[in-house]
């Protein structure tokens, strides 16, 4: 039965989420049951695409990316795919009317990671962040508002800002891995070899601004989405605070994390704030 295959596909997307990001998986579990699976489906798709360009170093990544892109096109057109991750994603894509240009922008930024390693100016940087993060926030927003186009437009800018904040926190946290392992430098006008407190402060302030704009959208989200998104916000904000308090040299030489006990503490505080209508 097709329903069994679809259910297996959704379970694959959930497994990908739980395997690659315990933090995102925890936040997703806090979403309403009616939308939880669709967020797993989106994450599974973006995670697999990112893996092609970030980790498959012993293979022809460009060829793999082209094959995956073709399989994506076929999945969206045919409304089915034998790739369970793409089959799950196409279901969510059609269910909520996710605009195709969001998917195309995401794929364009991921393709840039195949050949572009340095972003020299704000225009290049913002274009990459839009495609790699903002549009993912917009895809999720489409699910949160259950395809309501008016609510989607009302919350578009905050969703983009929150997506930017999450991505930039990842950039700052992963400086060592990106620079030494992939030879990438995302932040423009920043010499990562000479990262100092002043440069770090400028980056942190930029991210704080994105968080502030994004939080205004969280307050207006539907109830079944608000707690999960707020949980993710609290986790990433905590990670930003740890990065702010970490010397630049340590950021360059280690991957800063939020310990599990702090994650569960954040979850408890987030739930209390949510129940007290403080969000």
């Amino acid at each position: 039965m097709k329903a069994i295959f679809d259910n297996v596909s959704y379970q694959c997307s959930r497994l990908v989420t739980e395997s690659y990001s315990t933090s995102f998986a925890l936040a997703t579990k806090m979403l309403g049951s009616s939308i939880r699976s669709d967020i797993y489906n989106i994450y599974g798709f973006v995670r697999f695409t990112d893996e092609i360009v970030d980790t498959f170093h012993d293979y022809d990544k460009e060829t793999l990316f082209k094959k995956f892109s073709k399989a994506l096109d076929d999945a969206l057109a045919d409304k089915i795919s034998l790739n369970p991750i793409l089959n799950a994603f196409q279901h969510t894509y059609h269910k909520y009317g996710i605009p195709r240009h969001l998917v195309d922008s995401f794929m364009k930024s991921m393709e840039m990671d195949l050949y572009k390693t340095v972003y020299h100016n704000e225009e290049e940087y913002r274009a990459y962040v839009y495609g790699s993060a903002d549009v993912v926030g917009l895809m999720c927003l489409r699910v949160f508002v259950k395809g309501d186009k008016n609510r989607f437009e009302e919350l578009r800018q905050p969703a983009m800002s929150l997506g930017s904040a999450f991505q930039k926190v990842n950039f700052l946290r992963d400086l060592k891995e990106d620079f030494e392992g992939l030879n990438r430098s995302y932040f423009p006008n920043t010499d990562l070899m000479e990262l100092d407190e002043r440069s770090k402060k400028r980056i942190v302030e930029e991210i704080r601004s994105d968080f502030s704009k994004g939080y205004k959208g969280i307050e207006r989200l539907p109830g079944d989405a608000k707690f999960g998104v707020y949980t993710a916000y609290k986790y990433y904000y905590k990670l930003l605070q740890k990065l702010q308090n970490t010397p630049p040299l340590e950021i360059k030489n280690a991957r800063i994390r939020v310990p599990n006990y702090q994650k569960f503490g954040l979850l408890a505080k987030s739930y209390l704030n949510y129940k007290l209508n403080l969000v």
Side-chain angles (χ1 to χ4, degrees):
M1 294 176 62
K2 174 65 160 49
I4 296 177
F5 175 67
D6 285 342
N7 185 59
V8 169
S9 298
Y10 307 150
Q11 292 302 315
C12 285
S13 293
R14 176 176 178 172
L15 178 61
V16 169
T17 307
E18 293 174 343
S19 298
Y20 278 96
S21 178
T22 56
S23 302
F24 190 84
L26 180 63
T28 303
K29 284 183 173 69
M30 301 303 109
L31 297 171
S33 59
S34 65
I35 59 174
R36 197 178 302 146
S37 180
D38 292 294
I39 300 304
Y40 287 138
N41 294 347
I42 292 173
Y43 183 88
F45 160 63
V46 301
R47 181 73 265 168
F48 265 31
T49 312
D50 194 52
E51 284 302 295
I52 295 173
V53 300
D54 278 2
T55 63
F56 297 165
H57 307 309
D58 295 331
Y59 302 89
D60 184 342
K61 292 192 282 189
E62 185 173 354
T63 297
L64 288 175
F65 188 85
K66 288 180 179 178
K67 288 181 177 180
F68 190 75
S69 296
K70 176 62 165 59
L72 170 65
D73 290 340
D74 291 342
L76 298 185
D78 300 339
K79 298 185 178 182
I80 190 172
S81 175
L82 294 182
N83 179 323
I85 297 300
L86 291 179
N87 186 59
F89 176 68
Q90 69 79 22
H91 168 81
T92 296
Y93 172 87
H94 289 292
K95 180 180 178 181
Y96 295 100
I98 293 175
R100 179 59 195 258
H101 67 83
L102 298 181
V103 180
D104 291 342
S105 293
F106 173 74
M107 295 300 288
K108 181 179 179 181
S109 281
M110 292 300 96
E111 187 175 18
M112 290 170 68
D113 278 336
L114 290 172
Y115 59 85
K116 190 171 181 62
T117 58
V118 178
Y119 290 80
H120 298 286
N121 55 60
E122 286 291 330
E123 184 178 358
E124 291 181 342
Y125 171 59
R126 293 185 184 281
Y128 178 82
V129 171
Y130 172 77
S132 66
D134 294 8
V135 299
V136 178
L138 292 175
M139 289 185 213
C140 292
L141 176 61
R142 198 77 171 194
V143 174
F144 297 154
V145 300
K146 297 181 173 60
D148 186 317
K149 295 181 179 178
N150 290 331
R151 293 199 73 180
F152 177 79
E153 291 301 326
E154 290 172 2
L155 295 172
R156 171 188 287 273
Q157 290 301 322
M160 290 172 58
S161 294
L162 199 60
S164 289
F166 289 173
Q167 180 70 301
K168 292 171 186 177
V169 169
N170 287 338
F171 287 165
L172 190 56
R173 178 196 63 188
D174 298 338
L175 277 185
K176 175 180 172 61
E177 180 180 338
D178 286 338
F179 190 67
E180 294 184 3
L182 300 171
N183 196 34
R184 291 183 193 151
S185 177
Y186 291 109
F187 294 112
N189 305 315
T190 303
D191 183 355
L192 298 186
M193 293 296 292
E194 302 294 336
L195 182 69
D196 56 18
E197 193 64 36
R198 181 179 180 182
S199 297
K200 190 192 75 172
K201 182 179 179 181
R202 175 177 56 80
I203 293 170
V204 168
E205 289 177 350
E206 177 184 325
I207 299 172
R208 282 186 180 277
S209 176
D210 287 331
F211 269 126
S212 178
K213 296 172 186 175
Y215 184 79
K216 295 176 181 178
I218 296 176
E219 296 175 311
R220 297 156 57 194
L221 283 173
D224 54 358
K226 183 182 290 186
F227 180 46
V229 178
Y230 180 65
T231 299
Y233 163 86
K234 292 293 288 184
Y235 164 74
Y236 273 94
Y237 201 87
K238 179 64 175 181
L239 185 53
L240 178 64
Q241 290 177 322
K242 288 182 71 71
L243 289 164
Q244 181 180 11
N245 295 328
T246 302
L249 182 62
E250 188 174 342
I251 292 176
K252 290 191 295 182
N253 294 324
R255 195 173 193 262
I256 307 303
R257 299 176 181 274
V258 176
N260 285 335
Y261 76 90
Q262 288 189 358
K263 290 180 183 178
F264 289 110
L266 287 171
L267 176 61
K269 291 179 181 178
S270 298
Y271 183 72
L272 181 60
N273 288 340
Y274 174 72
K275 296 302 289 184
L276 293 175
N277 293 317
L278 299 178
V279 182

